[in-house]
């Protein structure tokens, strides 16, 4: 390790490079006195000379002297004891505080055990749509629903979304197939209708009375009145016999 030192002389400024190990021991001890113990240990592994200086008693006396002066400056500024104790802080805990904390934990444990004993069953939560049924499984031995190797709660909604998408795709395919079948049926019915229309046009009978055959002639008025009287007589004869 080298240090760059600028020296001023009568001839002018002189720029020289000095190694860290070439410095006097007094200066090195003064520099090492500002280091902590872990830093001194790391520095002692670099060379034998620095290792010897790191274990020098004079160095540690200087460190203790500086530490004592630093502590005397910080002690008046330390916070009071009531600030470090509960409920303000938990830095300083007495035996009373520890006993109170253990008692509080015991009370919380008792309350949790009572609440767990009164909690509803999984089947009740599933029936109320609070818990998805995909997260549980049916136990054949006990006959109840228990926690099992189901789907995680965060993935249930994703699974349902995928199932809805599958149903939509299936309905879409079915509707397209149905529409295609209806189109084919309409096309075939249209062709049959055209054929029937053409056939009826060829075989259509004229509406004029001169072209009607004998069996298509309209009955005369006297014939209709005679048939009417005949059926009326038949009806009156049946009523008199009864």
């Amino acid at each position: 390790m080298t240090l760059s030192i600028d020296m001023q002389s009568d001839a002018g400024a002189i720029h020289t490079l000095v190694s860290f190990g070439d410095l006097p021991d007094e200066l090195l001890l003064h520099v090492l006195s500002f280091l902590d113990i872990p830093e001194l240990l790391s520095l002692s592994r670099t060379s034998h000379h620095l290792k010897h200086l790191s274990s020098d008693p004079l160095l540690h006396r200087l460190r203790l002297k500086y530490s004592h002066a630093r502590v005397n400056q910080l002690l008046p500024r330390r916070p009071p004891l009531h600030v470090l104790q509960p409920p303000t802080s938990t830095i300083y805990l007495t035996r009373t505080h520890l006993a109170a904390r253990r008692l509080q934990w015991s009370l919380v444990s008792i309350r949790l055990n009572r609440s767990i004993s009164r909690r509803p069953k999984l089947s009740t939560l599933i029936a109320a749509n609070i818990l998805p049924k995909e997260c549980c499984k049916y136990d054949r031995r006990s006959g109840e629903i228990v926690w099992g190797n189901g789907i995680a709660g965060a993935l249930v909604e994703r699974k349902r979304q995928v199932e809805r998408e599958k149903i939509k795709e299936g309905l879409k395919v079915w509707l397209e197939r149905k529409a295609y079948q209806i189109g084919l049926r309409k096309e075939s019915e249209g062709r049959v209708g055209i054929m029937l229309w053409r056939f009826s046009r060829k075989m259509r009978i004229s509406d004029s009375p001169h072209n009607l055959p004998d069996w298509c002639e309209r009955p005369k008025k006297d014939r209709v009145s005679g048939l009417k009287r005949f059926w009326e007589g038949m009806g009156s004869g049946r009523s008199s016999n009864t």
Side-chain angles (χ1 to χ4, degrees), residues 183-217:
L184 292 178
R185 189 181 302 170
K186 286 184 178 180
E187 185 178 355
S188 61
E189 289 177 356
R191 292 176 182 175
V192 173
I194 292 173
M195 293 175 65
L196 289 174
W197 177 76
R198 290 178 180 176
F199 180 76
S200 63
R201 186 176 181 183
K202 291 180 180 179
M203 302 299 294
R204 185 174 56 185
I205 301 174
S206 178
D207 293 337
S208 60
H210 302 287
N211 297 330
L212 290 174
D214 297 338
W215 57 272
C216 290
E217 292 181 357

Side-chain angles (χ1 to χ4, degrees), residues 54-114:
S54 299
S55 59
D56 192 348
L58 181 61
L59 172 64
H60 294 284
R61 287 178 185 175
L62 290 174
R63 291 187 66 259
L64 291 175
K65 181 180 178 181
Y66 293 149
S67 300
H68 182 71
R70 184 64 176 169
V71 168
N72 291 332
Q73 292 178 0
L74 295 177
L75 279 177
R77 290 184 289 177
R78 65 178 179 178
L81 187 61
H82 65 86
V83 178
L84 303 177
Q85 292 179 350
T88 307
S89 177
T90 57
I91 297 176
Y92 182 77
L93 297 176
T94 60
R95 294 182 179 179
T96 306
H97 294 138
L98 294 176
R101 179 172 290 185
R102 293 193 190 97
L103 180 60
Q104 183 181 4
W105 291 344
S106 301
L107 292 176
V108 171
S109 177
I110 293 171
R111 291 176 183 175
L112 285 176
N113 292 331
R114 291 179 180 177

Side-chain angles (χ1 to χ4, degrees), residues 30-40 43 54 59 63:
H30 182 72
V31 173
L32 296 179
S33 63
F34 295 98
L35 301 179
D36 294 331
I37 296 298
E39 297 171 350
L40 289 174
L43 187 63
S54 299
L59 172 64
R63 291 187 66 259

Side-chain angles (χ1 to χ4, degrees), residues 13-234:
I14 301 174
H15 184 74
T16 59
L17 295 176
V18 180
S19 176
F20 186 75
D22 296 337
L23 295 175
D25 293 344
E26 292 79 5
L27 184 58
L28 290 175
L29 289 174
H30 182 72
V31 173
L32 296 179
S33 63
F34 295 98
L35 301 179
D36 294 331
I37 296 298
E39 297 171 350
L40 289 174
L41 290 175
S42 300
L43 187 63
S44 63
R45 298 189 184 98
T46 56
S47 65
H48 293 284
H49 183 59
L50 293 177
K51 181 179 180 181
H52 178 70
L53 292 177
S54 299
S55 59
D56 192 348
L58 181 61
L59 172 64
H60 294 284
R61 287 178 185 175
L62 290 174
R63 291 187 66 259
L64 291 175
K65 181 180 178 181
Y66 293 149
S67 300
H68 182 71
R70 184 64 176 169
V71 168
N72 291 332
Q73 292 178 0
L74 295 177
L75 279 177
R77 290 184 289 177
R78 65 178 179 178
L81 187 61
H82 65 86
V83 178
L84 303 177
Q85 292 179 350
T88 307
S89 177
T90 57
I91 297 176
Y92 182 77
L93 297 176
T94 60
R95 294 182 179 179
T96 306
H97 294 138
L98 294 176
R101 179 172 290 185
R102 293 193 190 97
L103 180 60
Q104 183 181 4
W105 291 344
S106 301
L107 292 176
V108 171
S109 177
I110 293 171
R111 291 176 183 175
L112 285 176
N113 292 331
R114 291 179 180 177
S115 300
I116 289 173
S117 62
R118 293 195 301 266
R119 66 179 179 180
K121 295 183 179 180
L122 294 178
S123 57
T124 306
L125 297 177
I126 293 174
N129 293 328
I130 298 175
L131 182 68
K133 62 181 180 180
E134 291 84 357
C135 299
C136 307
K137 70 175 183 179
Y138 180 76
D139 189 10
R140 296 182 179 179
R141 295 181 180 179
S142 61
E144 296 180 355
I145 299 176
V146 296
W147 287 104
N149 298 326
I151 302 175
L155 300 177
V156 172
E157 186 62 28
R158 180 60 180 171
K159 179 187 176 184
R160 292 177 179 176
Q161 185 178 359
V162 171
E163 291 177 352
R164 288 195 294 267
E165 293 295 333
K166 288 183 179 180
I167 294 173
K168 288 181 181 179
E169 291 294 332
L171 289 175
K172 183 179 179 181
V173 173
W174 182 81
L175 289 174
E176 290 178 354
R177 189 180 303 168
K178 201 70 176 177
Y180 178 73
Q181 293 176 359
I182 292 173
L184 292 178
R185 189 181 302 170
K186 286 184 178 180
E187 185 178 355
S188 61
E189 289 177 356
R191 292 176 182 175
V192 173
I194 292 173
M195 293 175 65
L196 289 174
W197 177 76
R198 290 178 180 176
F199 180 76
S200 63
R201 186 176 181 183
K202 291 180 180 179
M203 302 299 294
R204 185 174 56 185
I205 301 174
S206 178
D207 293 337
S208 60
H210 302 287
N211 297 330
L212 290 174
D214 297 338
W215 57 272
C216 290
E217 292 181 357
R218 295 180 180 179
K220 296 181 180 180
K221 186 175 181 181
D222 53 354
R223 189 175 181 181
V224 172
S225 59
L227 289 173
K228 183 178 180 181
R229 286 193 298 271
F230 172 75
W231 287 112
E232 287 178 354
M234 290 292 293

